[in-house]
Amino acid sequence: MALSKYERRERLRMRIRKTVEGTESRPRLAVFRSNKEIYAQIIDDVNGKTITAASSRDKDIDASKVNKVEAAKLVGKAIAEKAVKAGVDTIAFDRGGYLYHGRVKSLAEGAREGGLKF
């Protein structure tokens, strides 16, 4: 029986989470992509804390009136800026079961441009 696209993504997400773990020195950059928006969090899994977060719903990004791929790049730059301010420079990238393509790739490139190392 064929899996639904949600079950398939959940399986991929769990396979990724087995290997990608966020520590204090190298937290995890988790991505969630909905049809309209994109969200990113930097998470320390050892202590169970979200260090910082950014999304395309943030006022400055939402006001820029760009397409979804460009908005994802702005989210990547915003999360990188917040992370550097919080003292994080190296992260583990968790694509959340999504293909590394389109908005997810754009977010990662924006984060790299903002100063994060993967």
Side-chain angles (χ1 to χ4, degrees):
M1 189 169 135
L3 296 174
S4 74
K5 65 180 177 181
Y6 305 106
E7 292 168 329
R8 178 183 169 279
R9 186 182 147 253
E10 190 62 22
R11 281 191 179 183
L12 284 168
R13 196 176 74 77
M14 288 302 170
R15 193 178 320 146
I16 292 164
R17 286 290 289 122
K18 274 194 283 189
T19 57
V20 177
E21 185 182 38
T23 61
E24 245 178 287
S25 60
R26 190 170 186 251
R28 172 171 60 99
L29 172 59
V31 175
F32 175 74
R33 189 193 72 184
S34 72
N35 286 338
K36 287 176 71 175
E37 313 290 347
I38 191 157
Y39 305 84
Q41 290 182 324
I42 295 188
I43 304 165
D44 174 5
D45 290 317
V46 175
N47 298 320
K49 299 278 187 217
T50 298
I51 297 167
T52 186
S55 79
S56 56
R57 297 184 68 183
D58 292 350
K59 286 182 179 154
D60 54 336
I61 296 168
D62 196 28
S64 62
K65 300 292 183 210
V66 292
N67 68 31
K68 292 190 283 190
V69 175
E70 291 165 353
K73 191 167 210 157
L74 292 175
V75 170
K77 287 181 182 177
I79 195 85
E81 187 180 299
K82 290 178 180 181
V84 169
K85 221 177 265 185
V88 175
D89 62 342
T90 307
I91 53 127
F93 189 68
D94 176 6
R95 58 190 174 90
Y98 304 107
L99 296 177
Y100 187 80
H101 174 70
R103 288 190 280 158
V104 175
K105 183 177 179 180
S106 182
L107 187 142
E109 288 171 354
R112 281 193 190 98
E113 284 177 20
L116 289 179
K117 295 181 193 75
F118 289 41

